[in-house]
Amino acid sequence: MGRIDMIAGRRASQWALLTWCGLLAAAGAMYFSGLGSYPLLDPDEGRYAEIPREMLESGDFVTPRLNYVKYFEKPPLFYWAVAASMAGLGETEMAARLVPAVVGLLTVALVIGLGSAMMGRATGHLAGWVYLTSLLPLVMARFLTIDGLFSLLLAATWAAWWLGYSSAAVRARRRWYTAAWLSLALAILAKGPVALVLTGLLVFSFLALQRDWAALRTMAWWPGVPLFAAVVLPWFVAVSICNPEFLHFFVVVQHWERFLGATQEHLKPLWFFLPLVPLGLGAWGIVSLPGLVAAAREALGGLRSAAGSRRRANDSLEGNAAAGDQSTDRQRGAVLFLLTWVIIVVAFFSISKCKLVPYILPAFPALAILVAWYVQRVRERAVLRWCAAITAVAVLALVLLVPHAARNQDTVPYAELTAVVTSMQVGLIAAAVVLCAAVFRPRLAPVGMGLVVMLVLPGLIAVMPDVAAHRKLGTMLKALPFPLPAEVKLAEWENYDQSFNFYTHKRIILIDKRGELEFGSRLGDAPAFFLSGAQAFRELADQGPLLANIDPERWPEVRTWGTLHPVGANCSNVLVANDSFFRLTGLIPWPDDAISDRSPVFMPRYRQAGMERK
């Protein structure tokens, strides 16, 4: 029997390794494919590519700058990571987006590892599949923004804390708690003190529910706190010395006032995030609802048995029954921890007046594990059949809605989308077929739910260059001759597309627009680059070669001036320039009457061959 058990164990380990590798390979394909096939998507991608580019240009990695203006809204860890990627791979879209893609891959690995440690290997693998094929995590892994890195570091902090809390060995517990302190320090360097607040809320809430305050004494305060300080303090001290105005803006304005809504940024109602939890899970959203209810029941059962578990531990009970009870109690504790994790994240950001969709991304690693735990439990029950059936109906409805949405959007002509629409419909139908089969064979439900997003993704990637060409500035800027001559000035009127900086490597004069640069616009030489009024714009056009970006709605007014003519246009942007710009660069202006409120895409035209980007 011993040899048979050894062979079975070896085969199980080999199968687990293959599953792990398969999940990471799928994550690589979904997260990395086509990252460089379309330009930066303003405003976020332009911002988070330009700040690292300016760091590389200036050599100053202490003071973040955007449009060469001090920008203190976030700490620098994400900027440093993107700058390192660009330093090695070039200042390209692929290099910039590589960071969130790698972060997404690491998060999948973390979810698998934590799920396996909490609930067993099968649940851990399924949790990785749930996270990989959930909608919001997928989008964030392919989108250049800080939230993915912040979510990974928070998840690493809380996973390490749980592994320390649940470890029986003193040395293992100390190592995990120390790792949690380190991850927490990095999370603060990614997005600020909100990481410390969320971690404190989670740990104290969980320990209060467990009535286990004694655990606080074992949390490796040494060497954890010194390590935490050694990682966090150097940058905060350095940036405060270089910029005395930093602390007040960063702590009071950017965090406290923004949380209270005093800055009037991104104000949303209290319930804003509640529907986004199931929607962010994509096809897993339906099954997550009974899953969270079951998790709440399990957690309550765990609370009732916690006192008994501690008594058994104190009495040092031995034997199979005691070991089984301890295993059950540990799993219930894990469910309680994960449920508290989700509630703390969603509740905290719901209380905040300032709300953006990616804010609740840190809840999704825990959600993925809870959904996987629930699916593993109810595989043979009627509820999973009903969830598969409802999801199948929703997916089939999407088959009809996709062409309707494609025909009624105002960005890309439908004729350019027919192939993409067809591919998405085929993918949705295939996933729906598997979900229908899952009504009779519930074990197929996880496959069908994951396939919904996986099979639609290629069509979404294929359409991104068309969407960017019709709506974003980057496609036109990449068609300009590079580098632009030094004497060319750049401007934007009543808007600011950050990719304008990234693709031109130049400072932008902003007219009637400050936005998130309001604080930095008052410092140093910045006021000279922030103008007011249409007259200031007209005077700028008379001072030398000028290339400017305006909204199509402003074009009829600008056209009457007679000094600026179209370089290129799409439905969201009109690039205009004066005569001296056209003479200097060799470009040909488009006729003034070619541009309308619903302009098709007009790329810059060249007077002579050989002036394409080099």
Side-chain angles (χ1 to χ4, degrees):
M1 289 295 293
R3 180 174 177 80
I4 294 175
D5 290 342
M6 184 183 301
I7 294 173
R10 186 181 301 161
R11 287 178 177 174
S13 297
Q14 291 172 345
W15 176 251
L17 179 61
L18 286 174
T19 304
W20 180 288
C21 293
L23 284 169
L24 294 185
M30 294 175 69
Y31 291 167
F32 292 87
S33 57
L35 287 182
S37 64
Y38 51 95
L40 298 173
L41 306 177
D42 287 315
D44 295 293
E45 289 203 315
R47 177 191 313 122
Y48 293 123
E50 175 59 14
I51 295 172
R53 190 202 67 79
E54 291 187 25
M55 283 184 166
L56 290 172
E57 182 182 280
S58 66
D60 183 354
F61 293 89
V62 173
T63 303
R65 290 178 174 82
L66 176 61
N67 196 27
Y68 301 86
V69 168
K70 291 181 180 180
Y71 185 83
F72 294 139
E73 298 210 359
K74 300 292 184 295
L77 184 62
F78 184 77
Y79 308 147
W80 291 342
V82 176
S85 180
M86 288 181 178
L89 301 174
E91 295 173 2
T92 65
E93 299 93 347
M94 176 65 186
R97 293 189 183 116
L98 190 65
V99 174
V102 170
V103 163
L105 187 67
L106 293 176
T107 307
V108 171
L110 186 147
V111 168
I112 296 171
L114 180 60
S116 299
M118 284 181 159
M119 310 294 188
R121 188 179 287 169
T123 301
H125 290 157
L126 181 56
W129 174 246
V130 173
Y131 188 86
L132 172 62
T133 55
S134 291
L135 185 59
L136 182 60
L138 173 62
V139 172
M140 289 296 99
R142 297 185 56 87
F143 191 65
L144 184 61
T145 186
I146 289 175
D147 299 277
L149 178 61
F150 181 60
S151 177
L152 169 64
L153 294 171
L154 271 187
T157 300
W158 299 344
W161 187 91
W162 165 259
L163 292 171
Y165 176 79
S166 59
S167 292
V170 174
R171 287 187 178 180
R173 183 187 310 135
R174 190 174 183 82
R175 285 196 298 268
W176 283 118
Y177 277 142
T178 302
W181 283 108
L182 175 60
S183 297
L184 177 58
L186 293 173
I188 290 174
L189 280 179
K191 206 169 182 179
V194 65
L196 184 61
V197 174
L198 287 170
T199 301
L201 288 172
L202 174 57
V203 169
F204 282 97
S205 297
F206 176 72
L207 293 180
L209 291 169
Q210 293 281 78
R211 297 180 183 179
D212 190 12
W213 298 111
L216 290 174
R217 295 196 299 267
T218 67
M219 283 176 48
W221 300 91
W222 175 268
V225 172
L227 177 63
F228 172 86
V231 173
V232 168
L233 290 181
W235 178 77
F236 279 94
V237 171
V239 74
S240 299
I241 292 173
C242 297
N243 309 277
E245 66 277 9
F246 164 78
L247 276 179
H248 177 267
F249 176 81
F250 184 76
V251 176
V252 177
V253 177
Q254 182 59 21
H255 285 85
W256 181 247
E257 291 184 359
R258 193 169 181 179
F259 182 84
L260 296 177
T263 60
Q264 300 296 307
E265 292 182 85
H266 312 300
L267 300 182
K268 299 290 190 303
L270 182 68
W271 52 264
F272 176 73
F273 288 123
L274 295 181
L276 291 178
V277 171
L279 289 175
L281 285 166
W284 301 98
I286 299 297
V287 75
S288 73
L289 301 178
L292 289 172
V293 172
R297 290 175 179 168
E298 184 81 3
L300 289 174
L303 290 176
R304 285 193 293 268
S305 66
S309 297
R310 286 193 292 273
R311 284 196 299 270
R312 286 194 296 274
N314 292 334
D315 294 339
S316 300
L317 294 178
E318 297 178 357
N320 293 335
D325 288 343
Q326 290 171 5
S327 175
T328 300
D329 290 341
R330 186 176 187 274
Q331 187 169 111
R332 284 176 169 174
V335 171
L336 175 63
F337 182 74
L338 292 169
L339 191 62
T340 308
W341 175 337
V342 173
I343 291 172
I344 289 296
V345 172
V346 176
F348 177 83
F349 288 114
S350 294
I351 294 171
S352 172
K353 300 292 185 181
C354 176
K355 297 179 178 71
L356 289 171
V357 172
Y359 286 0
I360 58 168
L361 183 63
F364 279 75
L367 280 167
I369 298 174
L370 287 174
V371 169
W373 164 81
Y374 179 68
V375 170
Q376 288 288 101
R377 285 190 58 189
V378 303
R379 180 173 291 173
E380 301 301 330
R381 297 183 183 178
V383 64
L384 190 56
R385 301 176 191 269
W386 278 106
C387 289
I390 295 171
T391 305
V393 171
V395 171
L396 289 173
L398 284 176
V399 173
L400 301 177
L401 289 175
V402 165
H404 175 76
R407 287 190 181 94
N408 288 277
Q409 50 81 36
D410 60 357
T411 297
V412 183
Y414 182 72
E416 299 179 24
L417 298 176
T418 52
V420 171
V421 168
T422 301
S423 72
M424 292 176 66
Q425 287 180 304
V426 169
L428 289 169
I429 291 172
V433 168
V434 178
L435 287 167
C436 290
V439 175
F440 305 98
R441 292 183 176 272
R443 67 177 59 236
L444 293 175
V447 178
M449 291 173 182
L451 285 177
V452 174
V453 168
M454 178 174 277
L455 296 180
V456 167
L457 180 62
L460 295 176
I461 295 174
V463 79
M464 286 307 298
D466 282 336
V467 172
H470 285 82
R471 199 153 197 92
K472 299 300 179 180
L473 189 60
T475 303
M476 286 188 286
L477 294 175
K478 292 177 73 171
L480 289 169
F482 278 71
L484 285 174
E487 56 266 43
V488 173
K489 292 182 179 179
L490 304 180
E492 294 203 52
W493 187 23
E494 296 184 345
N495 62 325
Y496 175 36
D497 295 84
Q498 286 92 329
S499 65
F500 207 173
N501 295 115
F502 181 81
Y503 289 113
T504 61
H505 296 188
K506 282 177 168 286
R507 192 169 189 173
I508 312 300
I509 300 170
L510 298 180
I511 304 164
D512 294 331
K513 179 69 175 182
R514 280 176 168 79
E516 59 194 1
L517 298 181
E518 177 66 35
F519 175 76
S521 69
R522 302 190 296 267
L523 304 176
D525 67 343
F529 292 87
F530 292 85
L531 308 179
S532 299
Q535 184 58 36
F537 190 13
R538 297 184 66 172
E539 292 174 358
L540 192 63
D542 295 330
Q543 295 174 6
L546 176 70
L547 176 66
N549 180 43
I550 62 173
D551 189 280
E553 293 182 359
R554 281 298 190 181
W555 168 241
E557 178 182 351
V558 172
R559 179 183 177 182
T560 63
W561 301 348
T563 56
L564 294 167
H565 308 285
V567 175
N570 58 26
C571 62
S572 298
N573 304 274
V574 178
L575 274 180
V576 296
N578 55 13
D579 290 337
S580 56
F581 173 88
F582 288 111
R583 287 194 298 269
L584 181 66
T585 61
L587 272 74
I588 305 174
W590 288 93
D592 289 354
D593 58 4
I595 310 299
S596 65
D597 290 342
R598 291 291 309 278
S599 296
V601 175
F602 290 96
M603 287 294 112
R605 299 190 299 174
Y606 299 93
R607 190 179 306 277
Q608 57 192 44
M611 295 192 66
E612 286 77 8
R613 183 180 180 183
K614 298 179 181 178

